[in-house]
Structures are given as C-alpha cells and as structure tokens.
Amino acid sequence: MAEVEARDQLARRRFLDRAWLSFIGDGVEIEGLSPDLARAWRLARESYGIDPGLRRCTRLLPGEELARRREEDELFRFAVPVLQDFTGRLAPCGQVLAYFDAAGWMLSVDGDRRVVEEVADINFCAGANWREESAGTNGPGTALREKRPIEIFASAHYVEAWQSLSCAAAPVLRPGTAEVVGVVDITGPWRMHDVQAIVAARAIAFTLEERLRSVQTVRDQVVAFAFRAARGSGDALLAVDPRGRLLATNDAARRRLALEGTQLPISLQEAVVAALRAARAEEEIPLAWPGADGARLLLEPVRYDRAAAGAVVRLVSPGAPARSRTAPPRSAAVARYDFGQILGDSAAIREAISLARVASRNELPVLLCGESGTGKELFAQAIHSASARGDGPFIALNCGAIPAALAESELFGYEAGTFTGARREGKAGKFEEANGGTVFLDEVSELPPQAQTALLRVLQEREVVRLGGSVPRPLDVRVLAATNRPLAAEIRAGRFREDLYYRLDVLSVPVPPLRARPGDVPALAAAFLEEAARQVGRSGLRLGAAALAALQRHAWPGNVRELRNLLLRAAATAGGDEIGPGDLPAELRGGTAAPPREAEGARSLAGEPERAALVQALEGAGWNVALAAKTLRVSRMTLYRKLRRFGLARSATP
C-alpha cells in the first residue's frame, strides 16, 4: 500500500512539474490542470505580480509588532493549548503546525525540529506574511482567500522555492459568519505528504471554531445581563457585540432609531465598532449620531475576561445630564459571608480554609463534605465571595428540602404552560438565576435520579433547557455542592450517579465537625453569644468558666449550628449577665437539672414507645432525617421537633 501511495505521489508531482513549467515558461494551461489551481496561478502572475523565482518570503514583522499581534489576536490565545496538543502528534510525522492570523501573518510554528529549521530558510517562520499577495499560491494564503480548506501539493506552489513542501490548510471562521479569523496549516516535505493532513487541519480549525463559539455565547450573555440591569432606567437601550451586531433592544430604542430586524444602520454599526476598539473599561463614550430629535447616544463598554464583550448603548434626550456608567445591580441573592467570618484556629479548620481559598482562585467544581451543621454553606459563600464571581449572584438550594417532583423545575425552570399551577409566563430556574455567579447545591445527595441526569447534562454542556422547552440557554455558572452523606456509599447503593459524582467532586473540601476542633469552641461561643445578645435585645452577657468548660466537653452532634442555637436560647433565658451551667441544657451540665415533676415523668413514660419508634426509623435510615421522615410519614420539620423534644442525637439509643 505504501509503495502504491508513493508511486501515485510521484506521478502527481511529475504532472504538476509539467503543468507549472508550461504555465511559467509558455503561459499555457495544460489539459488536466484543475480550474481552481489555474485560477490561483493566474492571480499570482497577473494580479499580484509574484516572482516565481523568489528565494524566500519577503514580508516580515519586527519582533515587537509580532508580539503585539500575538497579544491582540484573541483566537490565538484560545488556540495555543490546542496547537500544542496537536503539535505533539504531528512532530513524529516530519511535519510542522503553523497558525496564521486573519491578515496572513504567521504567529506560531512548531513540530519536527528538523523541518522547522528547513522551512525557516524560506521564511516560513513566525512573523512572515504568507498571503497570496506576498507569496503566491500556497496552503495558508490560498485557504485565506478561498475561505475553505485546501491542499497545495509540491509543484502546485507558484513559487519554485516552496515546491519541496506540501501544505494542508484550513481557515477558522467566526461562528455564524463567513469571516476568516485565522488559519491553521500543516506543512512538511512533499515526499512525506500525508493524505490525512487536510482532515487534521480541518479538525483543528473546527476545534478552534467551537472554542470561539463557546466564548462568544458567554460574552453575549454577559452583555445581555448588563442590558437587563440597565432596563430599569427607562431609557431607550441597545445591546451590541464587538462587531456591532444587535443582541437586544427595547421598544423605545427600536421606535426612536427606526430599527428594523436585527441590523443596526451601517453608519451606527461602524461608529459602535470604532468606539469599542478605542474604549477603556470604565468610560462612557458619546457616539456621533444625527438623531432627528437631537438625542445623544452614549456607549457603555461591557468587558469580560480581559476583552470587550460588547456594549450597552443608551439614547439620551436633549439636555439630559450625563450619568455614570451603568453597572449591573448586585443581585438580592448575594453571599453574606467571607473567609474572615470563619472562626477558629485549629489545624482542622485551618486546613479546610486553605483548601477553600485554593478553590476561590479557580473555577473548578467543589464538593464540600461534612456533617449537618458544620457550616458548609458558610464555606460556599466564602469561596464565592473571594472568587472572580464575587460580584455575581450566589444562589443556594437545599436539594433535600424540595419535593422530588419539583426538583427539575426548581433547578432548570420551565416554559409557559408546562404544567397545571405553573406561572403563565414560565419561570427561570436556579441555574439561570445564578448566571454569571455561583449556584450552591446543598444536600446534593438528595436529588432524585431524573434531576441528577439533567444536572449532569448541564455540567457537561454548560447550558440549560427548561422543562417543556427545547431551546438550550447558555450558562456561565460555577457549581459548588455539599453533602453530609458519603457519596461513595450512595453510589454503591444505587442512589447517586457515579458520573455526576466525578463531575462534582473535582476539588473536595472536608469541613470538620465541631468535636474535632474543641479548641475553637471558646471563639465560636463568644461570637455566637454576642450575636444572640443582639437578637434578644440584651447587653453585657458573658460566659462563665464552668459553662465554657461544659461547652468544650460536649460532643456536639449538631455541630456549629447546635452551638449557635444553644447560646441563643441561653441568652434569652439566663437570669443574670453571666451564663452558668444552670443556663445550659441538662445534657451539657452533667445531670444537674432539677427533678422533673410527676406529670412530666408521666409524660416521659408515655412517650417512650414514640421515642423508640423514632430511634428505630432513624437507625434504619442511617440517621438520614429525610428518609426517616418518609418512613414515619411525617414532615421533616415534624421529625426535627420530635428529635428536640426527646433530646435525640445520633449517639442516642432507645
């Protein structure tokens, strides 16, 4: 097979040699020459005046200009890791992989080091321009002109010095348009030409187009969010992308600018694009627009990830004062806590905080693990507050507190008319509400199977489809989840999807129970007592030494939440300013409570069967309160009240 391919390539080379000599020497296009190649050669000779005897490409950038183009070429920043990945596969094949910007300047080349050095002799190197106008018919230049993948084999090159090579190039198109934003090219010695090179070039270009599509979608959503935030001003408003494409408008703007369809007038579109190119992050730019009513247009840039995502354009009536830049309002669903409010200095809590700080500096999914009441949501809010999303919404959902039938609609929303009792206009779910910020899924192990499947798709695709709908809505959301149950055990029991677990548990942060950090009890108790005193309207409250010692001895089955609630009760009921052992529950003061009255004793005896039934249900459910409540056919709140009434904790026995 290899011999057959070699013979075919040699025959192809000989035919192209004859065709090239006939065209260059006699100006004759021989029979069998493809029309596309003949047209490319004619352009090189008649339109571009290319000398077929060139020894090397002549247009080169100075080093500082090359560095500037690399920095400003957005696609190149996305392309670098993709190119590096593919380069590693191509290098052993005697080929190099090059990337060109939309103007034909080569920004990078890498691969087989011997070939890199060989092609450098003709200036096939970073900083050289390989448009057809500069270098005649060649892979990247011809692909750039024709806006399609193309292969230029050996003597198909117009310049003789390039004919020792074969190129397979594919343009990268801006999603939804025919605009070329870059070119990828695979080049190597013609004798080592791989017929699959054009397939590989197309695959790389497609990968880059998909990355560009994803980024563009997120940026459009960021601009749309800024537009929604500005709608409350009552102004006539437009939202546009960096190319002046209309993303959104309100009726007032459409009416006053006489807009039709989704296109801006060409002159306005050009003004928007020029203004965005020159804009700094925080300035509001007046646009020249001869409105019939004398209105002014003010452009407010919207930036995301170091680049202009677009702008909100506002029509200002004559005489109206200029206003400051419109900023999206901070959502009502915001994080209230940060790392400074996580109290304690024990090794266990310091380690948890250290991991959480790492989590705040990246976008990885986080799984917070710990018993109920340890403060997992406090950690989630702190991670969000310290992250790049800190100004965005923080949406928390307790997955165990919603009925299974409503889990999907709560998370993902629903379209109008999806089910009886739904809002007539439909409703956004928690993920859409959290767009641009963080969604926190507490008790994630309680999600029903169907909701788990839908959540997995959201995490994979970064988009959500509302119940009853079919249109995917792009999402820019970071997911934090928490569980008080070992998910590995839930997976073995068939109650939790293993693939979802690996999606959520990328970075695990164990939150320690209070009994593992007894040295932190004094600081926590002091802070909670101060908070409790404010809530009950008292001042001067303090913990006595004996009461504090009792708090430190306690096992805290309810963890930090139990400590906070206990001190709130003590603050409300203490007879003096100092809280002593007598102000604490009996289980903390070592049985020093006054003897119960006979009636209370009778009630206690009468309650023993109920207490035993509670313990049996809880033990059977592994102390999962939600599951035990289902077994007993009571609500979770009822079950919690019974637990408090009987003084039951996990360590209790009937």
Side-chain angles (χ1 to χ4, degrees):
M1 180 64 72
E3 291 180 2
V4 172
E5 289 180 357
R7 284 198 302 270
D8 289 346
Q9 292 209 144
L10 185 57
R12 184 182 179 192
R13 170 75 197 243
R14 286 172 175 166
F15 168 77
L16 287 170
D17 282 347
R18 292 196 308 273
W20 184 82
L21 287 170
S22 176
F23 184 86
I24 297 298
D26 304 324
V28 175
E29 298 172 14
I30 68 173
E31 185 178 355
L33 184 65
S34 80
D36 288 344
L37 183 55
R39 181 173 65 254
W41 282 354
R42 286 197 300 273
L43 282 171
R45 181 180 63 189
E46 299 165 9
S47 299
Y48 308 140
I50 302 297
D51 178 4
L54 282 174
R55 303 310 305 161
R56 58 184 56 84
C57 184
T58 57
R59 292 185 65 193
L60 293 170
L61 288 173
E64 61 274 13
E65 177 65 14
L66 172 60
R68 184 188 67 79
R69 281 188 171 269
R70 284 172 168 165
E71 176 64 25
E72 294 181 357
D73 191 288
E74 181 180 51
L75 179 59
F76 181 62
R77 295 201 301 271
F78 303 143
V80 168
V82 178
L83 297 172
Q84 290 173 342
D85 180 39
F86 277 94
T87 295
R89 307 182 207 180
L90 292 172
C93 306
Q95 296 173 311
V96 296
L97 176 62
Y99 172 82
F100 299 79
D101 69 13
W105 296 102
M106 187 192 292
L107 300 188
S108 71
V109 61
D110 200 2
D112 186 303
R113 301 315 303 169
R114 180 183 56 80
V115 179
V116 169
E117 293 171 3
E118 178 183 327
V119 298
D121 289 340
I122 60 171
N123 282 341
F124 193 81
C125 59
N129 189 284
W130 280 81
R131 289 182 67 92
E132 285 187 321
E133 293 91 328
S134 304
T137 309
N138 68 87
T142 304
L144 191 59
R145 174 178 58 80
E146 297 208 354
K147 300 183 179 181
R148 65 180 177 89
I150 201 160
E151 179 185 79
I152 301 297
F153 174 77
S155 303
H157 287 93
Y158 183 77
V159 176
E160 185 176 15
W162 320 158
Q163 292 177 358
S164 63
L165 305 169
S166 285
C167 305
V172 181
L173 304 181
R174 188 178 297 281
T177 75
E179 178 190 354
V180 177
V181 291
V183 176
V184 293
D185 172 79
I186 298 172
T187 289
W190 74 269
R191 288 184 179 277
M192 300 179 68
H193 176 65
D194 185 348
V195 294
Q196 295 299 312
I198 190 69
V199 177
R202 292 171 71 178
I204 299 169
F206 177 77
T207 301
L208 297 183
E209 287 173 356
E210 287 303 298
R211 286 204 168 194
L212 199 58
R213 187 190 312 278
S214 175
V215 170
Q216 179 178 301
T217 298
V218 171
R219 288 180 175 168
D220 287 353
Q221 290 292 314
V222 170
V223 176
F225 178 75
F227 174 80
R228 290 194 300 271
R231 282 188 304 190
S233 66
D235 292 330
L237 297 168
L238 310 171
V240 294
D241 72 4
R243 292 172 290 128
R245 182 172 60 99
L246 189 61
L247 300 177
T249 181
N250 60 10
D251 290 340
R254 189 169 291 280
R255 190 170 54 250
R256 293 179 63 182
L257 292 174
L259 296 176
E260 296 181 3
T262 60
Q263 295 295 319
L264 290 178
I266 295 298
S267 58
L268 179 55
Q269 184 175 7
E270 290 174 348
V272 165
V273 171
L276 273 174
R277 284 176 180 164
R280 293 189 295 273
E282 298 300 327
E283 65 182 354
E284 186 177 66
I285 305 168
L287 296 178
W289 177 252
D293 59 359
R296 294 177 295 137
L297 286 179
L298 295 177
L299 179 141
E300 302 173 355
V302 178
R303 302 186 74 84
Y304 177 79
D305 192 22
R306 299 189 302 157
V312 173
V313 180
R314 183 160 53 89
L315 277 78
V316 182
S317 299
R323 296 188 301 182
S324 60
R325 169 182 171 81
T326 300
R330 191 173 176 89
S331 167
V334 296
R336 304 186 307 278
Y337 302 110
D338 55 33
F339 283 115
Q341 291 161 286
I342 301 178
L343 302 178
D345 195 42
S346 63
I349 200 66
R350 286 202 308 269
E351 182 178 355
I353 293 172
S354 177
L355 279 172
R357 287 190 182 277
V358 170
S360 72
R361 294 193 290 269
N362 59 55
E363 288 282 287
L364 297 176
V366 173
L367 184 63
L368 295 152
C369 308
E371 298 174 7
S372 292
T374 50
K376 297 185 291 296
E377 182 169 350
L378 175 60
F379 271 79
Q381 293 197 28
I383 291 170
H384 169 81
S385 296
S387 75
R389 297 175 178 270
D391 287 332
F394 178 88
I395 302 293
L397 180 70
N398 187 325
C399 301
I402 53 175
L406 296 180
E408 286 186 80
S409 63
E410 280 292 308
L411 283 170
F412 313 120
Y414 55 82
E415 296 291 359
T418 301
F419 51 84
T420 303
R423 290 185 184 177
R424 187 167 49 191
E425 69 277 14
K427 180 179 179 292
K430 298 300 183 184
F431 274 84
E432 284 184 70
E433 291 178 19
N435 208 26
T438 301
V439 64
F440 173 55
L441 302 177
D442 198 6
E443 293 192 36
V444 70
S445 62
E446 303 301 315
L447 276 179
Q450 194 166 341
Q452 290 182 33
T453 302
L455 174 59
L456 178 65
R457 183 185 181 282
V458 168
L459 295 174
Q460 289 173 334
E461 306 298 331
R462 309 295 293 177
E463 62 186 25
V464 65
V465 178
R466 290 182 180 181
L467 288 182
S470 58
V471 178
R473 300 167 184 263
L475 288 174
D476 173 28
V477 171
R478 200 236 182 119
V479 176
L480 307 178
T483 178
N484 61 351
R485 305 173 67 181
L487 290 186
E490 296 299 297
I491 291 168
R492 288 193 298 271
R495 292 189 291 266
F496 200 81
R497 291 186 62 125
E498 186 173 18
D499 46 5
L500 177 58
Y501 168 69
Y502 289 121
R503 279 281 179 179
L504 294 171
D505 191 19
V506 177
L507 181 55
S508 182
V509 178
V511 182
L514 188 53
R515 64 180 173 276
R517 40 187 292 226
D520 292 337
V521 169
L524 288 166
F528 293 159
L529 183 58
E530 182 180 348
E531 174 188 331
R534 286 196 302 270
Q535 286 184 256
V536 299
R538 296 185 64 172
S539 62
L541 285 177
R542 61 186 183 277
L543 269 173
L548 181 57
L551 295 181
Q552 289 185 280
R553 288 194 303 268
H554 188 52
W556 298 111
N559 291 293
V560 177
R561 184 185 297 126
E562 182 187 356
L563 175 59
R564 174 184 269 115
N565 292 339
L566 182 150
L567 288 168
L568 178 59
R569 183 175 65 180
T573 61
D577 288 343
E578 181 174 288
I579 294 176
D583 299 310
L584 302 179
E587 63 268 24
L588 269 79
R589 58 181 187 260
T592 59
R597 299 175 185 173
E598 289 186 7
E600 289 173 345
R603 280 198 300 271
S604 176
L605 290 173
E608 278 303 312
E610 184 180 4
R611 182 179 185 278
L614 284 175
V615 173
Q616 183 178 0
L618 287 162
E619 292 289 352
W623 282 82
N624 180 314
V625 173
L627 191 57
K630 288 180 183 178
T631 302
L632 294 168
R633 297 184 179 181
V634 298
S635 72
R636 290 176 58 185
M637 291 308 298
T638 297
L639 184 53
Y640 277 123
R641 283 196 295 271
K642 290 178 181 291
L643 291 178
R644 286 196 296 271
R645 177 153 59 93
F646 288 111
L648 286 173
R650 185 160 192 153
S651 59
T653 55

